[in-house]
């Protein structure tokens, strides 16, 4: 499976606005987190997942989500292609990153919040989570 954008939309009337991503399925979701990076450290990098698929939705502000397909978990190539998707609270979409990737969450605005839906049960996280130095792959800031 490849990373993909699951497009949503919004509906507004005199009562306000409803944002939605109707094509997103919660079938495999085990847990979720809300992420707010600090102003001093707007980049949360690099976290890899052998087994866990991630789904990111921006609640407030804006983020860049950078990701690479890992070729070797113990010693990945430094030449892997970095893909980047920008998401914002002004649009309704989910970035799906399947297992087998490492990612970076980069805040673009103060007080940005991102919700992350994970597919792996918490009991299995210790065998899945792989961290790399924040400069292992260089992103444009």
């Amino acid at each position: 499976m490849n990373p993909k954008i699951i497009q949503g939309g919004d509906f507004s009337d005199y009562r306000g606005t409803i944002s939605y991503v109707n094509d997103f399925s919660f079938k495999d979701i085990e847990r979720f987190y809300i992420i707010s990076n600090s102003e001093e450290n707007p980049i949360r990098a690099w976290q890899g997942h052998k087994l866990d698929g991630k789904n990111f939705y921006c609640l407030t502000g804006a983020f860049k989500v950078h990701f690479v397909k890992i070729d070797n978990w113990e010693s990945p190539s430094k030449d892997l292609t970095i893909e980047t998707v920008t998401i914002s609270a002004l649009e309704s979409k989910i970035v799906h990153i399947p297992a087998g990737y490492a990612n970076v969450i980069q805040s673009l605005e103060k007080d940005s919040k991102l919700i992350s839906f994970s597919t792996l049960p918490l009991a299995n996280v210790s065998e899945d989570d792989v961290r790399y130095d924040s400069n292992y792959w260089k992103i444009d800031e």
Side-chain angles (χ1 to χ4, degrees), residues 33-35 57-63 87-91 111-117:
Y33 299 95
I34 296 175
I35 300 168
Y57 182 87
C58 184
L59 296 170
T60 60
F63 289 85
I87 56 177
S88 121
L90 300 176
E91 55 191 354
D111 298 325
S112 292
K113 289 189 184 207
L114 185 76
I115 190 165
S116 171
F117 299 102

Side-chain angles (χ1 to χ4, degrees), residues 4-118:
K4 65 181 177 180
I5 302 296
I6 305 168
Q7 192 62 52
D10 57 61
F11 172 79
S12 297
D13 65 13
Y14 69 94
R15 299 168 292 177
T17 301
I18 296 174
S19 297
Y20 57 85
V21 184
N22 289 341
D23 292 332
F24 179 68
S25 172
F26 284 87
K27 182 180 135 210
D28 296 323
I29 301 304
E30 291 284 337
R31 55 199 164 80
F32 74 91
Y33 299 95
I34 296 175
I35 300 168
S36 299
N37 292 341
S38 69
E39 280 188 76
E40 300 79 26
N41 297 295
I43 298 175
R44 185 180 300 263
W46 283 93
Q47 186 169 346
H49 300 282
K50 298 176 186 177
L51 308 170
D52 194 4
K54 296 292 184 183
N55 299 279
F56 300 110
Y57 182 87
C58 184
L59 296 170
T60 60
F63 289 85
K64 282 188 179 178
V65 180
H66 309 275
F67 47 95
V68 295
K69 173 85 169 132
I70 300 298
D71 60 349
N72 178 315
W73 288 101
E74 288 72 36
S75 181
S77 170
K78 296 248 185 186
D79 297 324
L80 297 177
T81 301
I82 299 171
E83 297 182 66
T84 302
V85 175
T86 301
I87 56 177
S88 121
L90 300 176
E91 55 191 354
S92 189
K93 67 182 176 185
I94 290 177
V95 177
H96 169 73
I97 302 176
Y101 284 76
N103 66 68
V104 169
I105 306 302
Q106 179 182 7
S107 302
L108 299 178
E109 299 174 11
K110 180 181 176 188
D111 298 325
S112 292
K113 289 189 184 207
L114 185 76
I115 190 165
S116 171
F117 299 102
S118 297

